[in-house]
Structures are given as structure tokens and as C-alpha cells.
Amino acid sequence: MAEIVTMPKLGFDMAEGVLVRWAVDVGSGVEKGQLLAEIETDKATVEVESPYSGTVLKHLVPEDSIVPINDPIAVIGEDGEDISNLSLDTAEKSEESADAEEPPEPAAPNGKVMEAAPDGASLPDGVRASPLARNMARVEGVDISRVQGSGPKGRITKKDIEAYLASPKPAPTPTLSQAPAFAAPSREDTTVKLTRLRQAIGRRMTESKQWYPHFYVTYEYDLDALMAARKLANEGLADLGVKLSVNDFIVKAAGMTLREYPNLNATLGDGEVYHHGHINIGIAVAVEGGLLTVVVHDADAKTLRQISAEVREKAGRVREGKVHPDDVSGSTFTTSNLGMFGVEDFIAIINPPESAILALGAARKAPVVKDGQLAVGWRMKATISVDHRVSDGAEAAEFMRAMARYLEQPVLMLV
């Protein structure tokens, strides 16, 4: 029996996605769990697996189509199966919309339809292009108006940008009228269009600061024992290609501490607090034009080696622009680390719908007093931001002190 594949919801606030590429052609077989398509969300390009096994009988939307979540995108069934009686009304509408020549004419504030500017001037940059192609052109520094589109009505796609980048460019011919070797830096005003990712971050952070009453608690940790344990572990694991980071220890410590403080691993509902049974820690990762959160699921139950390998693998996919749905979904608590930039301490904005986020500064050598004597020790400051509707300062302070038990006695994370 034929099954309909729909546009998946790949993020908390995802409303639509761009079907970038079909990985399986019509008429080809596909196994459940096999890569079926690449879909671009506000956050990243996600590799989506097939939910069914069988033969791809029909693609319901073409590549570079913007499709609302839950709309049909493909049909999978038995080879040669008749799907003429299958109800695909929603899918056909999506396909017609994707093939439309122009978007609907914009309405003015008074409700009257505005006239479109001539010669394609109403289109961004005056050209037809997919959202992914525009973003790729921006990242690569390509003047998109110079690219020849191969899509309907000359629409520029990702493949066109790739072809343009791969094509040889003529070397500039020197002329007497060329500017001198030294030129003053440009002082011209510029306008940069917000990417889908930047817009999504703006929406979520505005929502968080508007509706989540934040409060903050800062704690300084003694990392002498942790740094010594990390050095020994990395020396012992060097032959296996394993290298533990300070952040790996922090993720493990936060996960174990959250077992004792379910209010900080929670989501606020309508008159109730939902305590998540799993502790899934998100780790903010900087990417071009913003940041994404990769998720270590069940961080409290995983070893430091597992956490280290998982974070490296997922962060690598994120930076390449291709992630799996599980890489960036399902977090219940988030950490944000700016220590690698030498930042001593900062505060972070809660990532909705979570109730807390932990901001981490640099692990640094600092003058400390030990047994009445001045000495040098490893110290790190961390600040937790908490939704005051869910928890209070005393509980947050207790959490931070309880986490010190693991960070300052790292052997507890190994048993």
C-alpha cells in the first residue's frame, strides 16, 4: 500500500522548509532510514531519512520548493503500484505554488494591491533565485545577478551557484586607469539582508526576553583537579585519537546535576511545569551568520568519550551545513561556551521552551589563596539564566554549588 511522505517538522518553531534536493529518484528503491531528501530550515540543511521502505513512486514537489510542514512531498509504495486514486490535493497545491511564475502581488496598508515594479525590480537583487541559492551566493561572495539560472523562468538554484564557482574566471587586464596599489578603505553604507537563520534567532530571542522573566546566578569553579584529570585522560587516550575538552566535562557534570534539579530541566505549560524524563543538553555552536544548538541526548548517562565523539561529529555536520534531525532537536537544557574567545564571564538568553541556560567563561589560571598562601590555580566562571516562573534564586544557587561537586571532583563522573 502506498504511503505519503510529508514535510517533517525539524524544529520547535519551523513552519516551512525548502526541499533542496531529492536523494532518491522516482522509480528507485529506498529503505526505511535511508537518505531521502535534503531540506533547508531556518537553521540548517537537514538530511531527512525515509520513513518507509519501497519504491519512490512520485515526487510531489520539485527541488527548491518552499513547502509548509505536514504537506505531502512524495509517495512511496510497491513498484508499479497504481496511485491514481490516492488523495494528493494538498500536494498538488504545493506543487502548483512552487511552479508559479511570481508570488502574489503585495497589498498596501489600505488593502489595495500595489503595482509590481517593472523588469523584475520587485524581486530581491532583481533576479529569481531559491532561498538556498541566495544564501550560498552571499556566503561565497558571488554577485548573484551574474549567475545564469537553469530553473523555471531562469530561476537560480544551488546547482547554478556551484557551477558558477567552478567555472574559470578571466584574469583582470591591467590598465593605466586602474586604482593605485594602496587605496583608502571604503566608507560607503551597506545593507545586508537577514538570513533565515538570523531571523529565526531574532524571533526566538525576542520571545524569550519578552515573556521569560530571567534571573542570573554566577559561580566560580576550582578546576585544578579537572585540568589534571583531563591531561591524564588525553595522554592515555592519545593513541585512540580521543581528546577530551573542558566542555565535555561540563556537559557531563551538568547532566548529572540536573538529575537532582528537575525544575531546571523542564518546560512551562498552561498552569503546570513539565519535567523532562530525559536530560538532553544542547551545545551552542557558532556557524556562518548565527549559531545553532547541537544536542547530546541523555548526557547524564553517557561517558565522557561518548559525549566528546558525539559533539565533534554533530558540530562538524552543522558547520558543513548538513545535519540530521536529531542533531539539533530535543534539547531540554542548553550550554553556551565563549571560553575559547578568552571571555571571562557573560550571561545567555534562555532558549525557548527550556527553563534555563548555562553560560560558560574561559578556564584560566588565576591568583588564588590556598591554605593561607597565595598560589596559581585554574578557575572558571559560569552563569545560569533561569525562568523565574519555574524556579527561584535559591534553587539555581544550589544547582551551581551541586555542579561543583562533579567539576571539582571529576572522578565522580567516571564511576
Side-chain angles (χ1 to χ4, degrees):
M1 179 179 176
E3 301 283 359
I4 298 176
V5 182
T6 61
M7 172 63 74
K9 185 178 178 68
L10 301 172
F12 168 69
D13 59 350
M14 177 180 169
E16 62 186 17
V18 179
L19 198 149
V20 177
R21 181 178 75 89
W22 285 110
V24 182
D25 295 330
V26 172
S28 298
V30 64
E31 294 295 327
K32 183 177 180 179
Q34 179 183 337
L35 176 63
L36 178 64
E38 292 179 2
I39 293 173
E40 179 191 15
T41 71
D42 286 343
K43 296 182 178 180
T45 300
V46 180
E47 295 182 337
V48 174
E49 300 173 349
S50 174
Y52 310 110
S53 295
T55 299
V56 177
L57 302 177
K58 188 175 184 180
H59 290 161
L60 302 176
V61 295
E63 293 179 347
D64 295 315
S65 299
I66 299 176
V67 186
I69 62 169
N70 298 324
D71 267 20
I73 59 173
V75 180
I76 296 176
E78 297 179 4
D79 189 21
E81 184 176 352
D82 181 13
I83 59 171
S84 58
N85 294 326
L86 199 63
S87 177
L88 303 173
D89 292 342
T90 307
E92 289 167 358
K93 289 177 183 177
S94 296
E95 193 165 5
E96 290 170 5
S97 174
D99 291 336
E101 292 186 11
E102 300 288 350
E105 294 180 322
N110 59 11
K112 295 181 179 179
V113 175
M114 299 167 59
E115 292 186 6
D119 301 325
S122 61
L123 298 170
D125 303 313
V127 296
R128 291 183 176 86
S130 71
L132 183 63
R134 290 188 189 281
N135 185 58
M136 189 175 179
R138 180 188 61 78
V139 171
E140 298 292 344
V142 172
D143 181 354
I144 200 167
S145 64
R146 295 179 178 273
V147 180
Q148 183 67 38
S150 61
K153 299 294 183 181
R155 190 170 188 245
I156 298 169
T157 67
K158 173 187 174 184
K159 294 177 181 177
D160 298 323
I161 301 293
E162 291 173 340
Y164 180 85
L165 291 170
S167 64
K169 307 294 187 299
T173 304
T175 65
L176 293 177
S177 60
Q178 278 186 324
F182 172 79
S186 172
R187 295 291 190 271
E188 295 179 358
D189 296 336
T190 59
T191 301
V192 179
K193 186 175 180 180
L194 291 175
T195 63
R196 289 168 63 89
L197 173 58
R198 193 78 255 169
Q199 292 177 43
I201 293 171
R203 286 194 306 269
R204 290 172 64 79
M205 296 302 98
T206 298
E207 172 194 339
S208 182
K209 290 296 285 185
Q210 271 190 328
W211 300 107
Y212 286 41
H214 290 54
F215 72 86
Y216 315 98
V217 175
T218 300
Y219 196 100
E220 185 171 66
Y221 295 98
D222 179 344
L223 295 191
D224 283 346
L226 187 150
M227 298 303 283
R230 174 175 176 259
K231 181 180 178 181
L232 287 173
N234 285 338
E235 288 174 353
L237 297 171
D239 291 342
L240 301 177
V242 176
K243 186 174 182 180
L244 302 178
S245 70
V246 173
N247 202 64
D248 298 331
F249 284 86
I250 293 168
V251 170
K252 174 67 172 179
M256 295 181 73
T257 309
L258 284 168
R259 294 173 179 172
E260 306 168 43
Y261 296 89
N263 267 348
L264 303 182
N265 190 58
T267 297
L268 181 66
D270 186 12
E272 59 187 10
V273 177
Y274 178 76
H275 291 160
H276 297 285
H278 294 269
I279 296 174
N280 304 330
I281 296 187
I283 302 166
V285 175
V287 295
E288 180 71 29
L291 57 85
L292 294 177
T293 302
V294 300
V295 183
V296 178
H297 297 265
D298 297 311
D300 59 316
K302 289 180 176 172
T303 66
L304 288 164
R305 285 181 59 182
Q306 288 175 316
I307 291 171
S308 178
E310 190 171 330
V311 171
R312 280 203 309 271
E313 182 180 348
K314 291 181 176 181
R317 284 198 291 264
V318 162
R319 293 193 175 103
E320 291 170 3
K322 293 184 178 181
V323 298
H324 300 160
D326 284 349
D327 291 349
V328 293
S329 63
S331 64
T332 59
F333 181 92
T334 296
T335 64
S336 181
N337 193 336
L338 293 180
M340 67 288 294
F341 299 107
V343 173
E344 184 173 339
D345 66 285
F346 71 105
I347 60 175
I349 302 173
I350 296 169
N351 183 25
E354 297 165 20
S355 61
I357 184 170
L358 186 66
L360 304 156
R364 70 201 189 285
K365 287 185 176 180
V368 296
V369 176
K370 293 184 177 181
D371 299 324
Q373 300 293 319
L374 188 62
V376 175
W378 284 97
R379 295 293 183 269
M380 181 192 73
K381 289 183 179 178
T383 299
I384 191 168
S385 306
V386 181
D387 184 347
H388 218 325
R389 300 171 300 174
V390 176
S391 184
D392 298 304
E395 183 173 39
E398 289 174 5
F399 170 85
M400 298 296 276
R401 185 173 60 183
M403 196 167 71
R405 207 168 55 238
Y406 298 106
L407 293 180
E408 296 178 4
Q409 302 177 72
V411 68
L412 297 177
M413 291 186 272
L414 307 177
V415 295

